[in-house]
Amino acid sequence: MNYRTDRIILIIFLLISTAVAFLPYFVQSEYLLRLITVVIFWIGIAGCWNMMSGYTGYIDFGPVVYFGIGSYVAAIAMTKYMVPFFPSLFLSGLISAVIAFFIGIPTLRLKGAYFAIATFAFAEAMKQISLEFDRTFKVSFFQGSDGITLPISGHDNSFFFYCILPVTFVVMLTHYFIEHSKFGYGLKAINEAETAAEISGVNTTANKLRAYATSAFFLGLYGAIEAYWITYITPSDVFNVQKTVQMVIMTLLGGMGTFLGPIVGATFLTLISESLGTRFVEYYLIMIGGIIIVTILILPSGIIGTLKIRKRLRFI
Amino acid sequence: MIEPLLKLEKIDVAYRDVQVLHGVDLEVYPGEIVTVIGPNGAGKSTLLSTIVGFQVPRKGLISFRGKTITNIPPEETVKLGMTTVPEGARVFTDMTVLDNLKMGSYIKSSRVHRKESLEMVFNFFPRLYERMRQKGGTLSGGERQMLAIGRALMSKPSLLLLDEPSLGLAPMLVRKVFETVAAIASTGLTVLLVEQNVHFSLEISKRAYVLENGRIVKHGFSEELMNNDYIKKSYLAL
């Protein structure tokens, strides 16, 4: 019930975002700028997972599928239909959201492990479809394991920085909206006691669908941006389950169903793997694994989640 | 002749091959407390969850205020003015007491009256007012039951369905819960109560139905049932 601290946190968030927006003018090192961009990128992606699974407790184990769909929509639109980047970007988000809507109708009725398995299976199925579609139907569309090479953008790192930052900003604002709206209360109620939510008048299916499709929309955008950034995509890259795992771990480290959780978790994990990865090339994955295990043992609800419980803070 | 608020006609409910309710007829008139008593496994909870819309009856009709609601899901029946307090008082454990109550007025029509409803709930349950900022999960069993009833009242229902409110409560609290239910009903709210505690529920209700093995085996005024030999022998152990 501490609306004052909520306001303060929002203001701090807005100030930091504004400050970050000017970074490309001050940061000279291309490496540093790229690192910051990657951090912001992962904050947003972890945030996408958090806004669905973190709040509703429905563990989605295939969010990467919407990232991959976004990548492919953008790649196909740009190479086969010569659509410019920004319209393709928007199309990626839209198509991801529409597909999520229709996938959500049957899968969101499943609970617990069944939901996780269904979403995981869908992601793997999409990977196979994009691998085998062309060979099966004798067309050139997804280009199978050859992958698609996108037009070289010629843009520098700051261009992609300014593509990713606004998307992440909107993802985080969506979190703020979720925390402070009837819709968000509905999502949390679903997480805590779904039947009780229903008898209170929450249309649980509609609420879950909205959260799922919104998260898919943003994931589609990220997929498209990354495709244009890297300029080369293959099914096993963009539908890689490792992306899912990373989203989940980042959110768990930060704290599920919290506003700051994805920000803290993604920053923490990205910076740790970057600093360890450059120093201990051979052992860094083992070290990161150890750090994750220790963190979860000490802070079982994640960094922010545990802080929230100990300090009795309502929102953060 | 007054129209019944809630009417069940020949309801059959089955979970796959196992039929739980057989041709249940039941009527609830405005302003009364009606109780359904019966032993474990008689189908009492199934009866309530069918009325609210969690189960769809295989046969039969359910109408509420003259409108057929047989196939309407729970989140829609709330909007019509019927709400339930589930068995074991499923409160939102991670939300504060106040947020729990606010969840009760989730639907638009009840949100306008949120302030008055809150006042009314705190009047009935001063304890909830004291614990307003505590998490739902930190409450005791009795307080949770109060919170669940309070949450249901927040939706401004005209019919309140209670599923075993005395379950798992200390004897002293049981009496208190029933007294509160009677007090709530005296404000004009209609109550359908499902209970194993036959003594108290017959005391506060006007009419009662006896459900055994999925069939209504007896019904009538509570006072008469209390003196009925069969009821005395099987339920009141007199």
Side-chain angles (χ1 to χ4, degrees):
Chain A
M1 276 300 96
N2 222 331
Y3 285 113
R4 217 163 51 96
T5 43
D6 289 20
R7 216 49 65 71
I8 292 168
I9 286 170
L10 180 70
I11 290 168
I12 293 173
F13 168 72
L14 291 176
L15 286 177
I16 292 177
S17 310
T18 322
V20 169
F22 288 104
L23 274 182
Y25 293 100
F26 299 103
V27 175
Q28 300 298 324
S29 142
E30 285 290 311
Y31 164 74
L32 197 58
L33 185 61
R34 206 180 158 95
L35 181 63
I36 295 168
T37 313
V38 170
V39 170
I40 296 170
F41 178 77
W42 278 109
I43 290 175
I45 295 200
C48 287
W49 189 77
N50 187 43
M51 80 172 70
M52 165 65 203
S53 298
Y55 286 105
T56 63
Y58 274 66
I59 304 303
D60 180 353
F61 218 73
V64 70
V65 73
Y66 300 110
F67 182 91
I69 289 171
S71 294
Y72 265 92
V73 170
I76 290 169
M78 287 172 78
T79 55
K80 314 264 177 213
Y81 301 101
M82 303 306 154
V83 182
F85 173 62
F86 284 106
S88 315
L89 176 68
F90 182 70
L91 198 65
S92 298
L94 202 66
I95 291 181
S96 290
V98 170
I99 293 177
F101 181 81
F102 288 106
I103 292 297
I105 291 174
T107 55
L108 286 169
R109 282 164 209 279
L110 302 171
K111 294 204 163 78
Y114 300 99
F115 177 72
I117 290 168
T119 47
F120 176 71
F122 175 57
E124 288 301 301
M126 279 308 290
K127 182 158 82 184
Q128 289 308 317
I129 288 172
S130 51
L131 269 174
E132 302 295 338
F133 188 85
D134 289 12
R135 208 176 333 173
T136 315
F137 295 101
K138 307 265 179 290
V139 288
S140 172
F141 201 63
F142 291 102
Q143 296 177 208
S145 54
D146 294 342
I148 302 180
T149 307
L150 283 87
I152 305 286
S153 64
H155 294 297
D156 56 0
N157 280 336
S158 64
F159 173 82
F160 292 101
F161 176 86
Y162 284 118
C163 283
I164 289 168
L165 185 69
V167 182
T168 301
F169 182 70
V170 176
V171 168
M172 292 324 294
L173 277 190
T174 312
H175 273 74
Y176 188 81
F177 166 76
I178 288 176
E179 287 277 355
H180 290 90
S181 67
K182 195 183 148 188
F183 172 62
Y185 270 86
L187 293 183
K188 289 184 189 173
I190 289 171
N191 188 0
E192 289 178 33
E194 194 159 346
T195 45
E198 276 173 69
I199 54 171
S200 304
V202 181
N203 188 336
T204 52
T205 316
N207 270 31
K208 284 181 281 184
L209 261 181
R210 261 209 280 173
Y212 192 59
T214 312
S215 132
F217 174 80
F218 290 117
L219 282 169
L221 296 185
Y222 286 112
I225 295 171
E226 206 206 39
Y228 193 44
W229 195 9
I230 300 183
T231 68
Y232 174 65
I233 61 167
T234 62
S236 43
D237 267 349
V238 295
F239 291 110
N240 194 339
V241 68
Q242 208 193 326
K243 280 207 176 63
T244 295
V245 174
Q246 207 155 334
M247 287 181 220
V248 177
I249 289 179
M250 282 171 171
T251 313
L252 288 179
L253 278 178
M256 273 174 80
T258 61
F259 174 73
L260 292 179
I263 301 182
V264 172
T267 312
F268 178 71
L269 199 66
T270 316
L271 292 185
I272 278 197
S273 24
E274 192 63 28
S275 62
L276 292 180
T278 46
R279 252 163 264 178
F280 310 97
V281 185
E282 280 153 47
Y283 309 110
Y284 86 102
L285 282 176
I286 301 172
M287 298 164 85
I288 290 173
I291 290 171
I292 292 172
I293 292 170
V294 171
T295 315
I296 292 298
L297 281 177
I298 302 174
L299 309 165
S301 311
I303 299 167
I304 293 300
T306 311
L307 193 73
K308 200 171 163 173
I309 295 167
R310 298 225 174 116
K311 297 277 168 212
R312 289 176 164 237
L313 295 172
R314 183 171 159 273
F315 161 77
I316 50 171
Chain B
M1 182 76 193
I2 317 164
E3 282 293 306
L5 189 63
L6 176 76
K7 191 171 181 184
L8 274 66
E9 291 170 78
K10 303 234 171 310
I11 292 294
D12 278 9
V13 179
Y15 297 108
R16 298 196 187 216
D17 297 338
V18 185
Q19 189 163 350
V20 181
L21 296 179
H22 303 264
V24 171
D25 287 311
L26 188 144
E27 281 172 353
V28 180
Y29 290 93
E32 61 178 0
I33 301 184
V34 173
T35 180
V36 178
I37 55 176
N40 261 336
K44 301 190 300 297
S45 293
T46 305
L47 179 68
L48 279 200
S49 67
T50 309
I51 297 172
V52 198
F54 281 114
Q55 304 290 334
V56 176
R58 190 166 279 187
K59 267 192 216 141
L61 264 183
I62 307 173
S63 57
F64 180 61
R65 288 172 155 171
K67 190 175 179 259
T68 308
I69 57 157
T70 319
N71 294 314
I72 292 183
E75 71 264 18
E76 295 297 322
T77 50
V78 191
K79 292 182 189 153
L80 298 174
M82 171 200 303
T83 187
T84 146
V85 178
E87 190 175 348
R90 302 216 183 88
V91 302
F92 301 114
T93 48
D94 220 25
M95 287 187 194
T96 61
V97 168
L98 187 62
D99 282 349
N100 260 282
L101 292 175
K102 282 185 180 171
M103 273 306 298
S105 57
Y106 192 84
I107 53 171
K108 227 183 236 155
S109 58
S110 59
R111 262 210 300 176
V112 221
H113 306 288
R114 185 177 274 175
K115 264 217 173 106
E116 302 126 68
S117 309
L118 264 179
E119 237 164 69
M120 179 186 74
V121 170
F122 287 146
N123 248 329
F124 280 124
F125 305 108
R127 181 61 73 81
L128 293 183
Y129 182 76
E130 291 160 25
R131 313 244 144 149
M132 194 155 66
R133 295 186 202 294
Q134 255 175 260
K135 289 249 168 93
T138 64
L139 299 183
S140 72
E143 290 164 345
R144 279 184 203 212
Q145 194 62 55
M146 292 176 196
L147 182 54
I149 297 175
R151 186 181 63 200
L153 291 178
M154 288 297 290
S155 72
K156 281 220 139 215
S158 47
L159 175 64
L160 181 66
L161 308 167
L162 289 160
D163 195 353
E164 304 233 15
S166 73
L167 192 78
L169 297 187
M172 235 177 67
L173 277 173
V174 172
R175 174 178 287 279
K176 189 145 194 312
V177 165
F178 279 109
E179 279 168 5
T180 316
V181 170
I184 290 168
S186 69
T187 64
L189 194 70
T190 313
V191 176
L192 177 61
L193 175 67
V194 157
E195 255 302 335
Q196 283 201 55
N197 193 319
V198 175
H199 179 74
F200 277 122
S201 47
L202 286 182
E203 207 166 84
I204 65 163
S205 61
K206 185 178 165 208
R207 292 190 304 118
Y209 290 81
V210 182
L211 189 68
E212 279 177 14
N213 294 319
R215 291 186 172 81
I216 300 283
V217 294
K218 249 184 185 45
H219 68 101
F221 288 103
S222 305
E223 250 170 76
E224 289 165 17
L225 285 176
M226 236 190 285
N227 296 317
N228 182 294
D229 284 339
Y230 174 74
I231 302 287
K232 269 187 180 168
K233 219 175 105 201
S234 329
Y235 292 97
L236 296 170
L238 291 175

